[in-house]
Amino acid sequence: MIQIFKKEFNSFLNSLIAYIVIGVFLTAIGLLMWVFPSSSILDYGYADLDSLFSFGPYVFIFLIPAITMKSFAEEKKLGTLELLFTQPLTDLEIILGKFLASFALVLLALLPTIIYYYSIYQLGNPIGNIDTSGAIGSFIGLTLVGAVFCIIGIFASSLTSNQIVAFILSAFLCFLVYNGLDSFASLPVFGQQTLFVKQWGILYHYESISRGLIDSRDLIYFLSALAFIFLLTKITIGSRQWQ
Amino acid sequence: MAVTQHWLGSKKTGDWLFLANGLVVIVLLNLLASSYFFRVDLTEEETGW
């Protein structure tokens, strides 16, 4: 697993992918937080990181599928997936290695945003007048959302050998799981079951953690989502060896 | 050992069994989590004596 992780992570760093992903993420979030008047903190007047944590997942919806789209799709196209299966590795180890490499890149992109926290901490009046607990909770939430998006991307990549298809499918699934279910819940057809449907989506749990209240049920939700999509990916990858 | 190999039959059966077991574990974990849960409140301020 470590070998797969190293190979994948090095391939990100040796190509432009890592630098583009980190650069685009920080530029997009930076523009939204500091430049665009509709969402700029300087115009808004409150020392908080709301714009980072509300726009962050939407930026992830486009960036994470771009990281993960090649993980299995490229291997299938080049025919190296069969070669990978001949190695003394289980399917789970292969998937886990690829997942950890993508997730490490997401963490690497998220790490510099601590500077934004420090900037707002200094800009607060008085200095340090910022909701630190909410920020910590939101950072944990954003990390978990990133992890779920990574495994969704890897699952989408395992379904096809075309990277563009994997990207579009992954972005759609990420949007559906993040925001789609929450929007579906407001349909009148669900009536009394609105909350139940909302709880299936990531947004409900992300907002809960972002308040600075870490609930074990939210953590179990994220872990379950990760485990469930891991299992689906394992079936998809394993099905190539069934014949 | 031979019995185990025959019981699994094929990789296909093994994979489906793994999925089924995984789903059961996930469902049980969520049922347990809904009954026994805890919260870590980061917003709580420390009160000094």
Side-chain angles (χ1 to χ4, degrees), chain A residues 91 212 214 216 224 234 242, chain B residues 11 15 30 38-40 42:
Chain A
D91 294 350
I214 313 291
S216 61
S224 304
K234 188 187 177 314
W242 285 353
Chain B
K11 182 171 164 43
D15 281 351
N30 276 277
F38 64 89
R39 284 179 179 148
V40 179
L42 300 173

Side-chain angles (χ1 to χ4, degrees), chain A:
Chain A
M1 189 189 78
I2 302 292
Q3 288 83 356
I4 298 281
F5 169 76
K6 278 183 185 169
K7 177 185 151 282
E8 288 290 315
F9 195 65
N10 283 336
S11 82
F12 286 140
L13 294 179
N14 290 332
S15 65
L16 273 175
I17 296 171
Y19 310 104
I20 288 176
V21 164
I22 295 170
V24 167
F25 178 73
L26 293 175
T27 310
I29 292 294
L31 286 171
L32 287 164
M33 276 186 75
W34 305 102
V35 181
F36 295 160
S38 57
S39 56
S40 168
I41 288 163
L42 303 172
D43 290 341
Y44 182 54
Y46 288 99
D48 62 30
L49 285 161
D50 272 2
S51 34
L52 164 65
F53 297 122
S54 54
F55 292 117
Y58 291 102
V59 179
F60 274 171
I61 284 175
F62 291 101
L63 279 188
I64 293 179
I67 300 171
T68 56
M69 67 181 188
K70 71 188 257 300
S71 53
F72 281 112
E74 194 184 50
E75 302 246 23
K76 276 184 186 177
K77 195 161 195 176
L78 297 175
T80 50
L81 193 61
E82 275 68 25
L83 200 67
L84 203 61
F85 286 142
T86 61
Q87 304 296 317
L89 292 162
T90 61
D91 294 350
L92 269 183
E93 283 174 328
I94 295 171
I95 299 165
L96 204 61
K98 285 179 181 288
F99 164 75
L100 288 177
S102 316
F103 185 51
L105 193 58
V106 171
L107 288 182
L108 214 60
L110 209 53
L111 208 61
T113 55
I114 292 172
I115 295 167
Y116 296 155
Y117 172 78
Y118 179 72
S119 309
I120 294 170
Y121 185 91
Q122 291 296 325
L123 284 170
N125 186 18
I127 289 175
N129 184 20
I130 182 173
D131 181 12
T132 305
S133 51
I136 294 171
S138 299
F139 267 117
I140 295 170
L142 201 54
T143 308
L144 292 169
V145 170
V148 175
F149 285 0
C150 279
I151 193 64
I152 289 176
I154 288 170
F155 169 64
S157 179
S158 73
L159 291 173
T160 174
S161 57
N162 188 323
Q163 291 191 37
I164 306 294
V165 174
F167 174 82
I168 293 169
L169 189 66
S170 170
F172 172 71
L173 286 175
C174 288
F175 176 75
L176 191 73
V177 176
Y178 179 72
N179 204 0
L181 288 168
D182 201 72
S183 304
F184 268 129
S186 54
L187 287 173
V189 69
F190 290 111
Q192 304 266 318
Q193 303 303 317
T194 301
L195 184 65
F196 179 73
V197 179
K198 265 190 178 188
Q199 284 175 337
W200 281 84
I202 291 177
L203 190 60
Y204 178 86
H205 300 275
Y206 176 58
E207 281 177 350
S208 170
I209 289 183
S210 298
R211 287 185 210 113
L213 196 69
I214 313 291
D215 194 315
S216 61
R217 287 170 295 185
D218 295 324
L219 297 179
I220 293 289
Y221 167 82
F222 280 108
L223 285 178
S224 304
L226 277 173
F228 177 64
I229 307 166
F230 251 110
L231 290 172
L232 290 182
T233 313
K234 188 187 177 314
I235 282 285
T236 321
I237 291 300
S239 66
R240 288 175 69 89
Q241 299 166 287
W242 285 353
Q243 292 83 13

